[in-house]
Amino acid sequence: MGKGVLDRLREEFSFVGGNVFVLLVSWALMNFAGHMPETYYSLYVLELGGTAFTVGVISLAYMAALASVQFLGGYLADSYGRKRLIVTMTFALAASYLLYALAPTWKLILAGAVLQGLFLVYQPALWAILADSLPPGKRGLGFALAHVVTATSIASPIVAGYLVERMGLLPGMRIAYLATVVAYAAAAALRLRLRETLKPDAGRLSVLESVRSYPRAFREGFTAIRALPKPVLTLTTIYVVNYYFLCMCGQYYVIYATKVLGVGEAFWALLSAAWLASMYASSMPSGKLVDVVGRVGPLIASMPMTAAATWMFIRGGNVMLLSSFIIDGVAVSLYSNAFSALQTDLVPTEYRGRVIGFTNFFAYVAGAFGGLAGGYFYEHVSPKLPFTLLMLVQVPLAVSSAVLLKEPEVRED
């Protein structure tokens, strides 16, 4: 019996090797370190002289920079290969966290955020190389596993809470950011072992040539979308709209919880850990569900769950907050696995980098304005308004998904 179970597990996870293994290990390192300072990031900005609206301004600058390089990133990933872009920019991303660690005011955080957005030009290449490396029948499971291995970050809020409680907010956050620099550099070194998946792999591309490629990259991003089935554009639109409202709230959860609901920093760390634990615990089952029942159903199911979780968060209270974070973790797992698998099913290999770049561009533009709007609403209208809007928009998103999205008859390799 035991041997049979082991054999089935080996068969189920036979795709874990080579590129997939390297990516999983590097994500585990990066997520553990990165989630430590993220736990109290908004409070860190406030401590450095910023306001809730300042958090929105930084979010706008970061998202705008991130959006500006998505077409270029997708073009370079599809034209010159995935690996070189991923490795180089991961090292650059590691260095950018030094600005966060050493920042005397929030203005240096703003500069670091812009640089990080630009360095994440490698995102389309990263997801493209993962998609390339997963067999069609294992994509839901593969994308789920990509989330599960970052379960190392469940401990991150607890470590961050310990640092802040023991040393104070500023010193604790600076140490957390320095740890992030080290972990990201280690992940970049590990990614040197990736194997290129796109053929032919063109020669080295200079920075100047990359910049000159931008207009062509922009044009080809739209050309790729026009050449693809209509469901790709529909899926992208639903994703972008949802992303706008998620970014409207993202940076303000910790401020609302601590300043409005009276949650202590230690309990906030516990809530953050519970959210991560819920997301990771549900990731493998939801990924398997996506492979067995299809992509569209789980995608739709995540939306009422997000609405319920947001309502509980607005209400507050320890039990409601804990329930909110657990439900939202499951919703995120369902949504991300279903979306990634469906997008991969619909897009041929040679277009994936550009389509991911296209999707990310519009999502990050929407997120930039969403974060700014959230800061304005929070500070000048009502702290509850961003969360209320996120809750309400889930209804039309779920209806649109049910009406407009269908399971693909043929899945792309």
Side-chain angles (χ1 to χ4, degrees), residues 348-384:
T349 300
E350 64 270 21
Y351 289 117
R352 278 185 190 137
R354 278 167 287 181
V355 171
I356 293 170
F358 178 95
T359 302
N360 288 352
F361 173 80
F362 285 101
Y364 295 148
V365 168
F369 289 102
L372 188 66
Y376 178 82
F377 292 151
Y378 187 98
E379 195 167 305
H380 298 288
V381 183
S382 167
K384 289 184 181 180

Side-chain angles (χ1 to χ4, degrees), residues 48-69:
L48 291 174
T51 66
F53 187 65
T54 301
V55 174
V57 171
I58 295 173
S59 176
L60 171 67
Y62 168 75
M63 288 291 186
L66 191 55
S68 72
V69 296

Side-chain angles (χ1 to χ4, degrees), residues 203-219:
R204 186 176 300 277
L205 187 69
S206 71
V207 174
L208 182 59
E209 288 171 322
S210 298
V211 173
R212 287 174 176 169
S213 299
Y214 194 91
R216 183 177 178 183
F218 197 85
R219 289 194 305 270

